[in-house]
Amino acid sequence: MNGQQQQRLQAFSQQAITAIPLLQSMDVRFTAFNDYSLRVDMPLAPNINDKNTGFGGSIVALATTAGWAMLQLLMQGLSRDYQVLIVESHIRYLAPVTANCYALASVTESAMCAFYKMLNQRGSGRMTIQTAIEQDGKQLAVFTGTYKVMQRLPG
Amino acid sequence: MNGQQQQRLQAFSQQAITAIPLLQSMDVRFTAFNDYSLRVDMPLAPNINDKNTGFGGSIVALATTAGWAMLQLLMQGLSRDYQVLIVESHIRYLAPVTANCYALASVTESAMCAFYKMLNQRGSGRMTIQTAIEQDGKQLAVFTGTYKVMQRLPG
């Protein structure tokens, strides 16, 4: 990530973690961001379950957050002020999380181009983001989230 | 719920909340259980987001937990010791959560009959649970979770 992206990620991270107390409980860290991907890390300890592996609720909350944050960060590069809401999501758990893990949210250039065009035309739109949950490079869950993006109302 | 169900719910609740720290952060309460439904309550304050409504991550974690707990509680009525794991889930958010909410997980008699039969035959199986997120009787999200149930290995 370049300096501007790093600055944007730091400011966003601070706002998000202050505004959403559960992100503090999960101890998530927004660690890397560029125009096509975002990485969000999460330690195992506060997110453990009764089987001493990652709690499914934490994993799906992490993935939900990563997709939302990816879009919110991209929207901060535009001139208008947008808010991003989760509309629908699907997750498939492939293997238990047994250590610290991270979410990788990603978008393609072509999907974002189409989305920016829609935003310009209508002022709002929906975007689907793919997010993988990984541990040491191994995929442990795959998540698809659809988010609604709309101009933030003043006040 | 009858006395036996209440006792089972209390014991389960204590174990679950002790074993899964995020349930403490979310401040969930397992409030009612019978053979066909489970209610899990969640206050808004610790689960708020940047828009001052319920954080999507908390809502999907609550629904994931309710379906898991419903099955785990039903399995505790059997003679063998089973563990329940989330395999896959889908959630659709219908409207923002603006106050304390609750999850209602439910199963039908016929689905459970078929599932018990499969468990007897194979020792493990998959079960899909519908869970609604409600606030004052109004449905705000609908969740479908598929869980794997298998005998707990000793040790």
Side-chain angles (χ1 to χ4, degrees):
Chain A
M1 65 186 153
N2 62 37
Q4 199 187 11
Q5 285 165 339
Q6 189 160 8
Q7 212 168 18
R8 202 195 293 173
L9 184 62
Q10 273 176 359
F12 171 82
S13 168
Q14 203 161 11
Q15 284 166 16
I17 291 171
T18 304
I20 306 175
L22 205 73
L23 295 183
Q24 295 166 44
S25 307
M26 292 160 63
D27 198 12
V28 303
R29 312 282 161 101
F30 297 87
T31 37
F33 165 65
N34 62 41
D35 284 349
Y36 304 107
S37 72
L38 169 70
R39 174 173 163 153
V40 190
D41 282 63
M42 184 174 84
L44 180 60
N47 297 292
I48 211 152
N49 67 13
D50 58 314
K51 294 168 278 288
N52 285 319
T53 60
F55 169 46
S58 290
I59 293 163
V60 69
L62 172 66
T64 304
T65 300
W68 165 76
M70 174 85 223
L71 273 175
Q72 198 74 71
L73 282 159
L74 289 174
M75 295 305 105
Q76 287 183 3
L78 307 181
S79 58
R80 293 182 192 158
D81 191 15
Y82 290 98
Q83 67 177 0
V84 180
L85 297 90
I86 178 84
V87 171
E88 192 169 355
S89 72
H90 176 266
I91 187 167
R92 183 188 296 265
Y93 300 85
L94 306 172
V97 169
T98 57
N100 300 344
C101 67
Y102 50 92
L104 290 176
S106 56
V107 295
T108 62
E109 185 168 7
S110 63
M112 283 313 295
C113 275
F115 182 68
Y116 287 135
K117 195 175 162 190
M118 181 163 63
L119 266 193
N120 277 326
Q121 286 171 340
R122 301 193 203 164
S124 70
R126 285 176 184 225
M127 177 76 191
T128 296
I129 307 262
Q130 308 289 337
T131 298
I133 301 292
E134 296 189 359
Q135 173 188 315
D136 299 326
K138 195 184 158 201
Q139 216 169 67
L140 301 183
V142 287
F143 171 95
T144 306
T146 299
Y147 299 83
K148 186 173 180 180
V149 179
M150 49 195 215
Q151 270 191 268
R152 202 184 293 271
L153 300 172
Chain B
M1 61 185 156
N2 62 36
Q4 199 187 9
Q5 285 165 339
Q6 189 159 8
Q7 212 168 16
R8 202 194 294 174
L9 184 61
Q10 274 176 359
F12 171 81
S13 167
Q14 204 162 9
Q15 283 167 15
I17 292 171
T18 304
I20 307 175
L22 205 73
L23 296 183
Q24 295 166 42
S25 307
M26 294 161 63
D27 198 12
V28 303
R29 310 283 160 101
F30 297 85
T31 37
F33 165 64
N34 62 40
D35 285 349
Y36 303 107
S37 72
L38 169 70
R39 175 173 163 153
V40 189
D41 282 63
M42 185 174 83
L44 180 59
N47 298 292
I48 210 149
N49 66 13
D50 58 316
K51 295 168 277 288
N52 284 318
T53 60
F55 169 47
S58 290
I59 293 163
V60 69
L62 172 65
T64 304
T65 301
W68 164 75
M70 175 84 223
L71 272 176
Q72 198 73 71
L73 282 159
L74 289 175
M75 293 306 105
Q76 286 183 4
L78 307 182
S79 57
R80 293 183 193 158
D81 191 16
Y82 289 99
Q83 66 177 1
V84 180
L85 296 91
I86 180 82
V87 171
E88 192 170 355
S89 73
H90 176 266
I91 187 167
R92 184 187 296 264
Y93 300 85
L94 307 171
V97 169
T98 58
N100 300 345
C101 68
Y102 50 91
L104 289 175
S106 55
V107 293
T108 62
E109 186 170 5
S110 62
M112 284 312 297
C113 275
F115 182 68
Y116 287 135
K117 194 175 160 189
M118 182 162 62
L119 266 193
N120 276 326
Q121 286 171 340
R122 301 194 205 165
S124 71
R126 284 175 184 225
M127 176 78 192
T128 296
I129 307 265
Q130 308 289 336
T131 298
I133 301 291
E134 296 190 0
Q135 172 186 317
D136 299 327
K138 196 184 157 201
Q139 215 167 70
L140 300 183
V142 286
F143 171 95
T144 306
T146 299
Y147 299 83
K148 184 173 180 180
V149 178
M150 50 196 215
Q151 271 192 264
R152 199 184 296 271
L153 300 173

